[in-house]
Amino acid sequence: MRRLPSLTALRTFEAAARHAHFGRAAAELCVTDSAVSHQIRQLEEQLGSTLFERDGRQVRPTPQARRLLHSLQQAFELIGEACDELRDPGSQAQLRVAVTAELAQKWLVGRLADFAERHPQITLHLHEQPLEATLPGSEIDIAITYGTGPDDASAYFVRPLPTLQFFPVCSPGLFNQSPLKHPRDLARHCLLHDDQDGKTWTAWLTTHAGDIQPTRHLYLGHAGLTMEAAARGQGVAIGDNLTSAEDLASGRLVRPFAAQVPSLGQYALVCERLRLDKPAAAHFIEWFTDQLVDL
């Protein structure tokens, strides 16, 4: 077994780095400020590395220390879960999944009844995954992210979803009232955006509509909101084969054009490899993979 620094020193470092303050760490740990300073000095000597940059009473972890902080927080979380399982074996059936708001609203939630039917012993806690976040939070078992995903394949299990295709969608009423026969007809309509920089619409228009310049735009927080606004006839949104599928199948939305472009990013299921041994996580990943078959 490799030689590790004392657990007390590591716990002290984690608290000090998280608070960026030795005094607040001392208060949390119920020790004196000098005891915290002593533990940090001891840990720095053992590791042969400076852990903090000091600015008066404030401290900032060095870049190397921030990496250590992240690893410690993950390790302490896993230790805590293992202890909880010993105290309450039923806690193994608790699963925390984070997912982006649009994917939860327009695709995942409607399928969870099937997961519950297959695994009634698992209690699922669904959290929102910020769109810009590429990793699960420290208390999250599985995250469904959007973007490039984590770089460290040795630490994370990653299952990419199929590449999305983007295409315009609108309500049947809007389509019938003001027919969209050619992409250039979009110049007369309000474009609904699920991003604040308009890149998704720009990519589609550049490819299929030349140099038209629509003058009406509405910017919303995520694709779930743009799909709802489109279904209510407020404009034309950019849909995709994942978040638009149910509304297209039900007839709430229609595709005025077949033309599409590949998505600028990609969804992926991300799980720390250390959590793959948790039965509930393994069951969810197996179920989730089954849901991707028809995409």
Side-chain angles (χ1 to χ4, degrees):
M1 182 176 178
R2 69 179 64 187
R3 184 181 177 187
L4 297 174
S6 76
L7 181 59
T8 300
L10 292 173
R11 286 185 64 235
T12 302
F13 162 76
E14 190 278 333
R18 175 164 36 85
H19 288 293
H21 196 281
F22 284 5
R24 287 193 284 272
E28 176 183 316
L29 299 172
C30 300
V31 298
T32 63
D33 291 13
S34 60
V36 170
S37 297
H38 174 73
Q39 289 291 336
I40 297 301
R41 283 197 303 272
Q42 183 182 60
L43 185 60
E44 288 179 329
E45 291 173 1
Q46 292 176 341
L47 298 177
S49 179
T50 300
L51 297 175
F52 291 98
E53 299 169 350
R54 291 162 174 80
D55 182 11
R57 295 182 62 83
Q58 293 289 326
V59 294
R60 291 192 308 275
T62 62
Q64 298 91 334
R66 285 196 294 272
R67 181 179 177 184
L68 175 61
L69 172 64
H70 177 67
S71 297
L72 283 175
Q73 289 175 331
Q74 291 177 318
F76 287 154
E77 181 65 26
L78 290 173
I79 291 170
E81 287 181 0
C83 292
D84 288 343
E85 290 163 16
L86 289 174
R87 297 188 192 99
D88 177 14
S91 66
Q92 267 285 68
Q94 304 286 326
L95 185 68
R96 290 172 171 78
V97 176
V99 59
T100 58
E102 60 267 31
L103 194 63
Q105 178 184 347
K106 306 303 293 185
W107 186 76
L108 182 62
V109 168
R111 297 168 180 262
L112 291 180
D114 179 68
F115 178 77
E117 184 176 347
R118 290 198 207 181
H119 303 287
Q121 78 282 9
I122 298 175
T123 300
L124 186 65
H125 301 262
L126 204 61
H127 300 259
E128 183 176 346
Q129 174 81 355
L131 192 63
E132 66 277 6
T134 59
L135 296 175
S138 60
E139 297 183 357
I140 298 299
D141 297 302
I142 294 171
I144 302 171
T145 67
Y146 184 79
T148 57
D151 295 326
D152 190 354
S154 64
Y156 293 94
F157 168 86
V158 179
R159 173 149 293 161
L161 276 67
T163 301
L164 299 180
Q165 296 293 327
F166 287 150
F167 44 80
V169 295
C170 65
S171 70
L174 185 146
F175 178 76
N176 291 327
Q177 291 168 10
S178 183
L180 290 161
K181 296 180 179 180
H182 187 278
R184 289 185 173 276
D185 296 336
L186 288 166
R188 302 194 304 268
H189 290 269
C190 177
L191 302 190
L192 305 173
H193 298 265
D194 60 11
D195 51 24
Q196 297 304 310
D197 54 17
K199 285 185 178 179
T200 306
W201 260 119
T202 298
W204 192 92
L205 292 172
T206 300
T207 304
H208 298 292
D211 57 356
I212 70 165
Q213 298 291 329
T215 58
R216 290 186 293 152
H217 303 267
L218 177 58
Y219 294 85
L220 299 162
H222 57 74
L225 294 176
T226 59
M227 293 303 101
E228 187 62 28
R232 293 175 180 270
Q234 296 180 24
V236 185
I238 283 287
D240 62 65
N241 47 305
L242 189 61
T243 60
S244 304
E246 290 187 2
D247 287 330
L248 289 169
S250 69
R252 292 186 77 221
L253 292 174
V254 297
R255 288 181 62 172
F257 318 111
Q260 57 191 24
V261 295
S263 64
L264 303 178
Q266 187 173 20
Y267 284 107
L269 180 148
V270 181
C271 180
E272 290 180 69
R273 292 192 179 276
L274 291 172
R275 296 179 185 267
L276 293 177
D277 290 335
K278 186 173 183 176
H283 287 317
F284 185 88
I285 292 172
E286 180 183 15
W287 171 83
F288 186 84
T289 301
D290 289 346
Q291 306 306 303
L292 305 179
V293 172
D294 297 330
L295 293 181

